[in-house]
């Protein structure tokens, strides 16, 4: 069973290790050295976790930490999912989908969610589209191998 729990930067070494393992295959594939989370220092990861209006979550399957994500409040009731990652050996098990569902449920008054992903990673795009996210805006070219695509999800507020 997947457990999602809030974390702080006191476990930044664990988080940074997961992030490195998750993003190195993408770094090798796309060579996006300037923006890849795999290139991020431990100190920068800590700074992102500690950033105001940011909440970070770890994903644990059984007793193993398998992924993490940050949720940033951009403005009232508008949130951004950032650098969602799952260890490669745990891909294709529905972990990212379940984690997103659980995290979104923590914000019942959210009006809008946004995120960016690699356009060439069709599995990521399929996941987000299946979860109700819609492509938004123009592609952002990073290099000749890779572009980023933005997604948004507009939520219907529940009547009280």
């Amino acid at each position: 069973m997947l457990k999602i729990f809030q974390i702080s930067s006191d476990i930044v070494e664990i988080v940074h290790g997961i992030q490195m393992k998750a993003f190195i295959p993408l770094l090798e594939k796309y060579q996006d050295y300037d923006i890849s989370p795999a290139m991020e220092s431990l100190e920068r990861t800590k700074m992102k976790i500690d950033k105001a209006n940011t909440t970070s979550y770890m994903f644990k399957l059984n007793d193993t930490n398998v992924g993490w994500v940050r949720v940033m409040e951009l403005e009232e009731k508008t949130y951004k999912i950032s650098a969602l990652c799952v260890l490669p050996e745990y891909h294709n098990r529905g972990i990212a989908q379940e984690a997103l569902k659980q995290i979104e449920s923590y914000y019942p008054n959210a009006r809008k969610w946004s995120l960016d992903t690699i356009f060439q990673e069709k599995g990521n795009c399929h996941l987000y589209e299946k979860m109700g996210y819609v492509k938004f805006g123009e592609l952002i070219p990073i290099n000749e191998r890779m572009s980023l695509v933005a997604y948004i999800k507009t939520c219907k507020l529940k009547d009280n």
Side-chain angles (χ1 to χ4, degrees), residues 117-120 122 125 135-142 146-151:
T117 195
I118 300 170
F119 177 71
Q120 289 76 9
K122 297 305 179 195
C125 295
K135 288 178 185 162
F136 180 79
E138 300 295 319
L139 293 180
I140 302 165
I142 301 302
M146 170 187 158
S147 296
L148 292 180
V149 60
Y151 279 92

Side-chain angles (χ1 to χ4, degrees), residues 10-28:
D10 62 345
I11 62 164
V12 69
E13 292 86 2
I14 295 168
V15 168
H16 190 257
I18 290 169
Q19 180 170 296
M20 297 296 288
K21 288 177 188 169
F23 282 100
I24 281 176
L26 295 172
L27 175 66
E28 291 171 350

Side-chain angles (χ1 to χ4, degrees), residues 86-141:
V86 174
L87 290 171
E89 61 268 31
Y90 290 92
H91 284 185
N92 301 313
R93 296 190 191 186
I95 291 170
Q97 181 175 339
E98 181 58 31
L100 268 178
K101 280 183 190 173
Q102 284 189 42
I103 290 166
E104 287 177 2
S105 76
Y106 301 160
Y107 302 84
N109 294 322
R111 287 189 181 150
K112 190 187 315 182
W113 290 90
S114 67
L115 58 86
D116 303 314
T117 195
I118 300 170
F119 177 71
Q120 289 76 9
E121 288 296 308
K122 297 305 179 195
N124 289 359
C125 295
H126 176 74
L127 164 69
Y128 297 129
E129 290 167 14
K130 182 168 64 171
M131 300 287 299
Y133 288 79
V134 177
K135 288 178 185 162
F136 180 79
E138 300 295 319
L139 293 180
I140 302 165

Side-chain angles (χ1 to χ4, degrees), residues 19 23 37 40 48 68-70 81-86 116 128:
Q19 180 170 296
F23 282 100
E40 205 168 86
K48 287 181 173 183
W68 85 284
V69 70
R70 288 182 304 122
I81 299 288
S82 185
L84 187 150
C85 61
V86 174
D116 303 314
Y128 297 129

Side-chain angles (χ1 to χ4, degrees), residues 20 23-41 44 118 142-146:
M20 297 296 288
F23 282 100
I24 281 176
L26 295 172
L27 175 66
E28 291 171 350
K29 184 175 182 179
Y30 296 111
Q31 300 177 18
D32 56 326
Y33 298 103
D34 293 335
I35 68 162
S36 174
M39 297 297 293
E40 205 168 86
S41 69
R44 181 132 172 89
I118 300 170
I142 301 302
N143 59 34
E144 65 279 354
R145 296 173 185 84
M146 170 187 158

